[in-house]
Amino acid sequence: GITQRISAYEVEYKLADKTVRPITFLDTPGHAAFQSMRERGVEIADIAVLIVSAEDGVKAQTEEVISHAKASGCPIIVAMNKMDKETANPDMVKAQMAEKNLTPIDWGGDIEFIGVSARTGDGVEDLLENILIQSELLDLKADPTAKAKATVIESSLEKGRGPVANIIVQNGTLRVGDSILVGSTYGRIRAMFDDTGKKIKSAG
C-alpha cells in the first residue's frame, strides 16, 4: 500500500484576479526505502514542499529531504498534514523543524508552514497560493519558443508501445515528431500523453 514510483501531475489555481496559473507537482515516495527517488525529486524541483504529519512529527526521511533541499538551494514550504485530527500538534512540528534550522515565519524565521488535511482538503488552497507566491519571488519563467529541455523522471519498455519516458518539460515546447536525445540514447517522439492519459500534440 505504499507509493513506489515518482508521479507528476498538473493542477490549475485561480488567482483573485481570475487568472489561472498551472502548478506542476512531482510526487516522490515518503517510504524510507526510496531515498534516491526523493533526491532526484529535489534536483528537478523549483520549490520543495515537505509534507510532515502533524501527529507524528519529523521522521528520518524528512531530515534526509531537508539536507537534499539545502544542498540544491531549493526553497522549502512545510505542509503540516492531518490537521483535522484531534491529536494534531503543529507546535511540535514547528519546534522540531526549528531545531533543523527551518524556523517558521510566525516564529521570526523565513519558512512558510501551512496546516492542511488531505482528508478534508482544508488548507490546500493556502498551500497552492503560497507555491505561486514563491514562484513569483523566484521569478520562475520558461520560454515557450526555445528548444525543449526536459528531465526524464522514469522510463520503461512497454509491450506494443516500445520505449516510454515520463518527463517534465522545463523550458521550450516539446512536440510529437521531435527528435530527442537523452545521454547517448536518441529517438523520435511518436506519441505524447498528459498526466491524465489524454493524447496531446505538444507540451510546454
Side-chain angles (χ1 to χ4, degrees):
I2 58 167
T3 307
Q4 297 187 47
R5 57 193 296 271
I6 301 179
S7 56
Y9 47 89
E10 193 173 82
V11 300
E12 290 186 336
Y13 182 75
K14 193 181 276 185
L15 296 164
D17 63 2
K18 299 289 187 283
T19 54
V20 176
R21 298 281 299 279
I23 304 171
T24 301
F25 280 93
L26 189 64
D27 185 13
T28 58
H31 191 272
F34 301 104
Q35 178 185 344
S36 59
M37 282 190 180
R38 284 189 292 277
E39 193 170 352
R40 180 133 179 77
V42 174
E43 277 172 21
I44 301 166
D46 296 304
I47 298 165
V49 178
L50 284 180
I51 300 171
V52 182
S53 165
E55 268 189 317
D56 307 327
V58 174
K59 290 189 170 180
Q61 297 94 285
T62 318
E63 294 182 33
E64 168 215 304
V65 175
I66 291 167
S67 64
H68 293 327
K70 283 182 174 174
S72 72
C74 192
I76 295 170
I77 294 173
V78 178
M80 299 179 291
N81 191 24
K82 300 186 182 176
M83 289 293 283
D84 55 302
K85 297 270 190 92
E86 280 182 29
T87 46
N89 186 350
D91 283 340
M92 169 193 72
V93 175
K94 288 179 178 181
Q96 289 175 336
M97 291 301 239
E99 284 173 20
K100 313 285 173 212
N101 295 319
L102 294 180
T103 310
I105 283 173
D106 54 345
W107 286 20
D110 58 355
I111 304 290
E112 199 69 65
F113 279 67
I114 296 151
V116 298
S117 165
R119 197 173 63 83
T120 66
D122 283 349
V124 173
E125 295 277 314
D126 290 343
L127 177 62
L128 297 178
E129 198 174 336
N130 267 283
I131 290 168
L132 288 176
I133 289 167
Q134 280 271 21
S135 73
E136 290 284 337
L137 294 171
L138 295 166
D139 197 28
L140 298 177
K141 287 191 174 92
D143 177 5
T145 64
K147 274 189 177 174
K149 175 183 176 284
T151 296
V152 176
I153 301 163
E154 288 186 327
S155 59
S156 58
L157 278 172
E158 290 186 18
K159 203 173 177 181
R161 289 171 87 181
V164 174
N166 292 343
I167 66 165
I168 286 187
V169 179
Q170 292 164 299
N171 201 27
T173 303
L174 195 64
R175 294 177 176 85
V176 171
D178 282 357
S179 293
I180 54 168
L181 177 68
V182 185
S184 59
T185 304
Y186 60 91
R188 192 177 288 274
I189 297 174
R190 293 207 305 255
M192 286 201 297
F193 302 87
D194 68 10
D195 57 315
T196 64
K198 192 176 114 213
K199 207 164 188 174
I200 54 173
K201 288 181 177 172
S202 67

